[in-house]
Amino acid sequence: MNLELRQLRYFVAVAEELHFGKAALRLHMTQPPLSQTIQGLEELLGAPLFARSRRAVELTPAGQALLPEARRILAASSALPALVKRAAGGAAGRLSLAFVSSADYSVLPPFLRRYRAAFPQVSIALQEATSDVQIDDLLHGRIDTGLLIAPLPDKARLELDYLKVLTEALIVALPAGVVSGAAGQAVALAALPPLPLIIFPRPIAPALHDAILACFRAAGITPEIGQEAIQMQTIVSLVSAGMGMALVPQSVSNLMRPGVEYRALRDPTPQVETGLAWRRDAVSPVLQGFLDLLRKNTDADPPDA
C-alpha cells in the first residue's frame, strides 16, 4: 500500500470543510485534482470515505474512522524534523549507562539529576555491573558508557577513553561494637580484632583487590578471607550480619545498615578512583551530550577525597 501523506492531508481538508470547492481553496489547488486524489485514496483503502450529493458532502463511517488517525499521522509526521534535529544534537534518543554499586552512593545520583534536567527527552537505560563486566560490554558495544573502578586494563585502553570522576579513600566497615572509642574515630588495622575479611572476587577489579590486601600486609596482618561478594551492598550486609569486616570506598558509608560501623583508617591506604569509560570510536550524539555536560559542569568532577 503506497499511502502518501499528501492523500491524508487532502482527505482531512475535505473532511473538515465538507465541501470540495472550499477544501481546494484551502489547499491552494483546483477542485478536479483534489477529487481525483480522494478517489484514489478511496480505491487504495477499499471503501468510500465521503457520501456525495448535489447538496452536501458527508463522511461515511469509514471516513469518520479514518479522520482521527489521519490527523494523528499528519501531526506525527510534522514533528519528525524537530525530532531528528534533537536526536542529531544529542537532545533525544537513548543512553545506556552501567555503573558499579559504589557509584550509587556517590556520583551517580547527582549525575543523573543534572543530565535529566538538561536532556529530559533522552531515555536512560541503567545497568548495575562490576567493572570487568562493564569493560567487556563496552568493548562489544553493548553499552554506551560506564562508571567503573580504575584503572582500565592495558588491552582495554587501546579501545576505550576514560575520564576520572571521583577519588576517595578506603575506610573500614565493621560490625557495630567490635572496637572501642568515640563513634567515627579513626582506627588502625593492627588494633582491630582478627575478623575475617569480606571482599569482592579479584577478577572484578584486580588492582583494587591487590591494594586492599597490601594494606593488611603493610600492617603486618595476613587476613583470612571469610566471604566474597560482588556488590557493595552485599558486602555491607555481610558485615551487618557479623560475618567479618571490609575495606570499602568512603562513599559507601552513605549506605546505612543496622549493625554496621564505618571508621576511617590511620594506616596509609590507596585512593579508589571511579571514572567514566566509553568507546573511543563512539559517535552517538547522545553520548557526546552526556560527556560535554559532564566536562562543563564543575560539580561533575568532585575534589579528591
Side-chain angles (χ1 to χ4, degrees):
M1 179 180 293
N2 296 319
L3 183 64
E4 299 177 5
L5 292 176
R6 175 182 61 88
Q7 294 172 301
L8 294 180
R9 188 165 59 249
Y10 289 4
F11 163 75
V12 169
V14 176
E16 291 177 349
E17 298 292 344
L18 293 178
H19 192 285
F20 277 82
K22 292 179 180 180
L25 289 174
R26 171 175 157 180
L27 293 168
H28 305 289
M29 62 187 301
T30 59
Q31 184 173 335
L34 174 60
S35 298
Q36 292 173 3
T37 300
I38 296 299
Q39 290 173 0
L41 179 62
E42 290 174 324
E43 293 174 3
L44 182 65
L45 296 178
L49 301 174
F50 296 100
R52 305 163 178 84
S53 68
R54 292 182 179 180
R55 294 184 178 181
V57 174
E58 296 180 353
L59 283 168
T60 65
Q64 292 173 357
L66 176 61
L67 182 57
E69 291 302 312
R71 286 171 171 159
R72 180 186 62 79
I73 293 171
L74 291 172
S77 67
S78 66
L80 288 178
L83 173 63
V84 171
K85 185 176 180 180
R86 289 196 303 272
R94 181 180 183 274
L95 177 74
S96 54
L97 170 65
F99 61 95
V100 290
S101 58
S102 58
D104 199 19
Y105 311 111
S106 56
V107 296
L108 183 62
F111 278 4
L112 293 179
R113 283 194 295 270
R114 284 193 294 270
Y115 188 69
R116 177 59 69 194
F119 298 98
Q121 293 185 331
V122 172
S123 171
I124 305 174
L126 294 172
Q127 172 187 336
E128 185 175 344
T130 55
S131 297
D132 59 324
V133 171
Q134 289 189 46
I135 290 169
D136 187 64
D137 285 346
L138 285 166
L139 293 175
H140 289 87
R142 291 189 286 264
I143 58 174
D144 296 317
T145 185
L147 278 166
L148 46 76
I149 301 296
L152 295 177
D154 291 340
K155 183 179 179 180
R157 292 177 186 174
L158 299 175
E159 299 184 48
L160 302 182
D161 279 335
Y162 174 82
L163 176 65
K164 183 178 78 170
V165 171
L166 174 68
T167 304
E168 55 186 331
L170 284 173
I171 60 174
V172 62
L174 297 161
V178 301
V179 293
S180 58
Q185 184 178 353
V187 297
L189 286 175
L192 296 177
L195 298 171
L197 177 63
I198 303 170
I199 195 171
F200 50 86
R202 187 177 184 276
I204 289 177
L208 180 56
H209 185 281
D210 294 346
I212 289 173
L213 295 184
C215 290
F216 286 92
R217 288 196 299 269
I221 302 170
T222 302
E224 172 197 352
I225 297 179
Q227 297 286 334
E228 288 188 338
I230 293 176
Q231 307 296 350
M232 283 295 171
Q233 56 264 37
T234 306
I235 290 175
V236 173
S237 293
L238 291 173
V239 173
S240 174
M243 302 292 290
M245 63 178 174
L247 297 192
V248 297
Q250 185 175 0
S251 58
V252 176
S253 63
N254 293 321
L255 173 58
M256 304 305 297
R257 285 280 193 278
V260 176
E261 185 176 353
Y262 297 100
R263 295 289 189 98
L265 289 167
R266 295 176 183 169
D267 308 75
T269 59
Q271 296 290 297
V272 182
E273 182 176 309
T274 302
L276 196 74
W278 65 95
R279 286 190 62 88
R280 187 166 295 134
D281 59 2
V283 295
S284 164
V286 170
L287 174 60
Q288 193 58 53
F290 181 82
L291 296 174
D292 289 345
L293 180 67
L294 185 61
R295 293 186 178 110
K296 290 176 183 177
N297 195 311
T298 55
D299 292 334
D301 192 7
D304 290 357

